[in-house]
Amino acid sequence: MKKIAVIGAGTMGNGIAHTFAQSGFKVSLIDINEAALEKGMNTIAKNLDRMIAKEKISEADKTNTLANISTYTNLEDAVKTIDLVVEAATENLDLKLKIFRQLDQACPKAAILASNTSSISITQIAAETSRPEQVIGMHFMNPVPIMKLVEIIRGYNTSDTVTKTIMELSETLGKDPVEVNDYPGFVANRILMPMLNESIETLYNGVAGVNDIDTVMKLGMAHPMGPLQLADFIGLDVCLSILNVMYNGFKNPKYAPCPLLVNMVQAGKLGVKSGEGFYDYSESRKAEKVSKQFLK
């Protein structure tokens, strides 16, 4: 397996492309938006510069990594000869199903089709293709070049051979793959999102303020960042989408999104990406200033 395609040049997509390219794979990075591709490549270059500054890689490593990535706005041209495609588009079911129908038609018959979805059914995605046994989930964690975990999600029809191949491939990237079965939220988000949602409920009910809630979890539970800060980092729209997938999948009220989360997303307060969520990021990307609506 030498040629990889990554769909989506956003945070997860450019991180996945970076990781494969740094490991010596030839990567086709695909996005319908040329500006998004340019931004994604700039992000990869900046992240490589940080690694150089920390003496983790050399200038030659950076040059080779960037040389391993080609950008495309046309999906068909990008996937003609690939061995694996990793879809990292927006967490939207209809969009993902459309992409996989296109991939099934455009990719070589032997190619493995993977999704970086954090919650959507791999079985449902695979059913849109003529090769469900070759469809699998590769749920990378953010930031991809740094985080070791990859959730490997087997759809109902995913073959043992494909699962073994992707597990071994993940290890060649320096990752620690964990195989899980295909249920809403898988493992990571099935456990994480209710905690984040409950943290938002705690704020919504006036039990404590933003900093108070995050401090309790950081100091009391040894979390590297507080749950409200983490929700901002992930993106409140992404959190809402995942909770809705789990709520619809399980029909269990414990997964119902907090009304405060719903309102914030509708108001465009999405966290770091929009400049404001539970914290104000207008002056810094660090969670240092609580948004004025939550000031006591």
Side-chain angles (χ1 to χ4, degrees), residues 205-220:
N205 292 330
V207 178
V210 172
N211 263 331
D212 301 322
I213 293 167
D214 278 355
T215 298
V216 166
M217 296 304 290
K218 286 189 289 185
L219 300 185

Side-chain angles (χ1 to χ4, degrees), residues 39-296:
K39 182 179 179 181
M41 291 301 296
N42 287 337
T43 298
I44 294 170
K46 288 177 183 177
N47 288 337
L48 289 167
D49 285 336
R50 289 192 188 97
M51 297 176 80
I52 291 171
K54 295 178 181 179
E55 299 184 344
K56 292 186 176 181
I57 65 170
S58 66
E59 285 284 354
D61 292 327
K62 174 186 174 181
T63 299
N64 292 335
T65 297
L66 293 175
N68 281 334
I69 306 173
S70 301
T71 59
Y72 294 84
T73 54
N74 184 282
L75 184 146
E76 287 76 14
D77 291 342
V79 302
K80 286 178 181 177
T81 62
I82 56 96
D83 302 306
L84 166 70
V85 59
V86 182
E87 170 271 317
T90 304
E91 195 74 351
N92 176 284
L93 175 61
D94 291 337
L95 175 61
K96 290 186 186 294
L97 296 183
K98 178 183 177 182
I99 289 172
F100 273 80
R101 286 193 293 268
Q102 292 175 322
L103 290 173
D104 191 39
Q105 294 295 317
C107 291
K109 291 300 180 185
I112 295 173
L113 312 183
S115 176
N116 182 59
T117 178
S118 55
S119 61
I120 294 170
S121 168
I122 297 301
T123 302
Q124 185 174 5
I125 290 172
E128 294 294 311
T129 76
S130 62
R131 59 180 96 183
E133 71 285 351
Q134 293 165 233
V135 179
I136 196 165
M138 290 185 77
H139 179 208
F140 290 86
M141 303 294 128
N142 185 27
V144 180
I146 296 172
M147 299 293 280
K148 290 288 189 180
L149 175 66
V150 184
E151 274 189 308
I152 306 300
I153 303 102
R154 291 188 66 142
Y156 190 82
N157 291 304
T158 306
S159 73
D160 291 339
T161 300
V162 165
T163 302
K164 183 173 183 290
T165 297
I166 296 302
M167 292 284 285
E168 291 174 351
L169 175 66
S170 299
E171 290 174 352
T172 69
L173 299 175
K175 304 301 185 185
D176 295 321
V178 176
E179 181 184 335
V180 305
N181 290 318
D182 187 21
Y183 292 96
F186 315 132
V187 172
N189 282 319
R190 182 169 180 172
I191 295 170
L192 175 63
M193 287 301 155
M195 184 193 76
L196 299 188
N197 197 45
E198 191 62 31
S199 301
I200 299 169
E201 285 278 1
T202 303
L203 176 66
Y204 179 58
N205 292 330
V207 178
V210 172
N211 263 331
D212 301 322
I213 293 167
D214 278 355
T215 298
V216 166
M217 296 304 290
K218 286 189 289 185
L219 300 185
M221 311 303 167
H223 289 194
M225 67 173 70
L228 299 176
Q229 179 188 358
L230 179 56
D232 274 356
F233 179 71
I234 293 169
L236 301 190
D237 53 337
V238 176
C239 294
L240 178 60
S241 175
I242 295 169
L243 284 164
N244 280 330
V245 167
M246 293 195 295
Y247 181 60
N248 293 331
F250 291 116
K251 300 297 188 290
N252 188 323
K254 73 178 180 180
Y255 299 114
C258 175
L260 174 58
L261 174 61
V262 175
N263 282 346
M264 290 180 71
V265 172
Q266 289 177 340
K269 310 293 186 181
L270 308 180
V272 176
K273 70 174 78 174
S274 70
E276 184 180 359
F278 296 106
Y279 293 87
D280 183 339
Y281 302 95
S282 58
E283 298 175 2
S284 170
R285 288 176 63 87
K286 295 181 180 180
E288 298 172 333
K289 181 180 178 182
V290 174
S291 294
K292 60 182 179 181
Q293 73 181 96
F294 299 116
L295 293 175
K296 293 180 180 178

Side-chain angles (χ1 to χ4, degrees), residues 4-29:
I4 312 296
V6 178
I7 298 179
T11 300
M12 296 305 295
N14 71 59
I16 294 167
H18 171 165
T19 301
F20 274 105
Q22 191 175 329
S23 296
F25 293 89
K26 296 297 183 183
V27 179
S28 299
L29 180 59

